[in-house]
Amino acid sequence: MDGKWKTIIISHLYYIGKMRFMDLKRQIDGIASKTLSKELKDLEMNNLVIRTQNNTMPVSVDYELTEFGKSLHSIIDTMGEWGIKYRKELWQATH
């Protein structure tokens, strides 16, 4: 599994929960629809994400983490804690 977006997608689905494609796209700055679609297919193929097609008009699709994907929680939490600490240190260094 490669792709710089996968960690961001997994994090959003972990913290927010089930999301529709366009909602997920709006949450992730700078990702193209084609890239998001490819990354979600890869994550689904690797049993990290479940794709559910809804019988709505127009058709909508939800994505959520599988139990296997949710098992990444300690890694995601640790990365989040590191990011908060890093941002605090940067802010303190510039102020």
Side-chain angles (χ1 to χ4, degrees):
M1 256 185 12
D2 60 354
K4 70 177 186 176
W5 297 106
K6 286 185 178 66
T7 303
I8 297 169
I9 293 167
I10 290 170
S11 294
H12 276 78
L13 292 174
Y14 173 72
Y15 287 113
I16 297 171
K18 183 188 296 187
M19 296 182 76
R20 291 195 170 153
F21 182 87
M22 287 308 295
D23 294 332
L24 188 55
K25 184 178 182 317
R26 280 186 210 101
Q27 288 288 320
I28 303 174
D29 290 333
I31 192 166
S33 294
K34 183 177 178 180
T35 302
L36 178 57
S37 179
K38 179 198 172 297
E39 298 295 329
L40 285 166
K41 284 178 186 174
D42 288 350
L43 290 168
E44 185 180 10
M45 186 179 69
N46 285 290
N47 195 32
L48 294 169
V49 168
I50 298 169
R51 177 187 187 274
T52 305
Q53 185 170 323
N54 304 307
N55 292 327
T56 57
M57 280 306 219
V59 173
S60 63
V61 177
D62 292 325
Y63 293 91
E64 62 185 311
L65 292 179
T66 63
E67 288 304 312
F68 184 59
K70 290 175 186 173
S71 72
L72 294 167
H73 66 89
S74 61
I75 295 167
I76 294 168
D77 287 342
T78 301
M79 288 173 56
E81 290 167 10
W82 177 87
I84 290 167
K85 181 181 174 188
Y86 178 70
R87 278 182 258 139
K88 282 182 183 177
E89 288 181 13
L90 280 180
W91 188 85
Q92 289 172 351
T94 60
H95 291 88

